[in-house]
Amino acid sequence: MVFTQTLTQTPPEIGRNLADPADLAAAIQTLKKERRAIILAHYYQDDAIQDSADFIGDSLELSRRAASTEAEVIVFCGVHFMAETAKILNPGKTVLLPDLEAGCSLADACPADAFADFRRRHPEHIVVSYINCSAAVKAQSDLICTSSNAVQLVQQLPADRPILFAPDQNLGRWVARESGRELTLWPGSCIVHETFSEQALLRLRLEHPEAEVIAHPECQQHLLDLADFIGSTSKLLQRTETSAAPSFIVLTEPGILYQMRRRSPSKTLYEVPGADGCSCNACPYMRLNTLEKLWQCLETMAPALELDEDIRRQALVPIERMLAMSA
Ligand code: 13P
Ligand code: SF4
């Protein structure tokens, strides 16, 4: 199916020029009130989208906010699995995603039928899935985790039970090391976090010995081995605020730099380029959402997430377990 998300509708005559980002942002706020909507945004969204949001967070914080909101409409500026999680938690609400094609390489790497085979081959295992997966995979899981709570949750599992971990092998390896538990890993990875160049990182470290290297656990092991601090997006943001270091070499999606700079304007941040010198570490899925598409989805109330009710009910169980275990 093809989802065209270009601005196909002429904006209403409201005495504003919606080609102007400031007017577009104002029109979004007006429409948001009319629709009784809340706008949730992940830190990997463009700056202008972050500025339009009621709440910005990492995957865990956004799930919590989606679970507790009283708004009638949730506009999720993030990727499909995030909006899907909001819908699983709020079946009676309208959940909008500005661009339905905003997917995720991790979710794509773990088709539900292949995952079912994997589970069948490991019948004794507890199944822990990273939230970056489809509702159909969540529905087959015992427990969902995010990069914020994965270590803490795995440590709570019975010591005599083996564990399957999907779909991010890099996160899984880090969780195994931190928790001291052996995990059987699904071989998925994030196309963004596996692009960083080790050579470029080593060069930046030599040039800026005072800088702390901070990394997201979706990065590959050889890069995590060079990091001074590893954590989820929110934990990396907090680290730039609380550490005494004057500068940071940041190994994660560059959308987070916007909030890092706002909260710690005196600190210097260095981005690590990709292996061929590219700046390909902006998530191509996250960046499909734009301010225009955000306006358009509020205007048309589409595209909205729809889910099979049986899958939704089954997927809700491990998500609620996660929220209870990481409260
Ligand atoms: P967190 O929001 O848990 O840091 O995950 C990062 C990510 O890649 C989201 O897709
Ligand atoms: Fe998926 Fe990686 Fe993009 Fe996050 S950054 S949405 S894990 S592809």
Side-chain angles (χ1 to χ4, degrees), residues 42-44 57-60 62 79 81-82 104 106 130-132 146-148 190 193 216-218 231-234 252-253 283 286:
H42 193 271
Y43 287 118
Y44 297 170
D58 70 1
S59 304
L60 179 61
L62 290 166
V79 290
F81 74 81
M82 296 177 173
C104 170
L106 280 168
Y130 190 29
I131 198 163
N132 299 36
T146 76
S147 60
S148 260
C190 162
H193 287 89
H216 194 281
E218 288 175 13
S232 71
T233 312
S234 290
T252 193
E253 215 273 2
C283 175
M286 288 274 182

Side-chain angles (χ1 to χ4, degrees), residues 80 84 87 95 304-308:
H80 192 275
E84 202 173 53
K87 184 68 179 176
V95 178
L305 271 285
E306 299 296 343
L307 274 174
D308 175 271

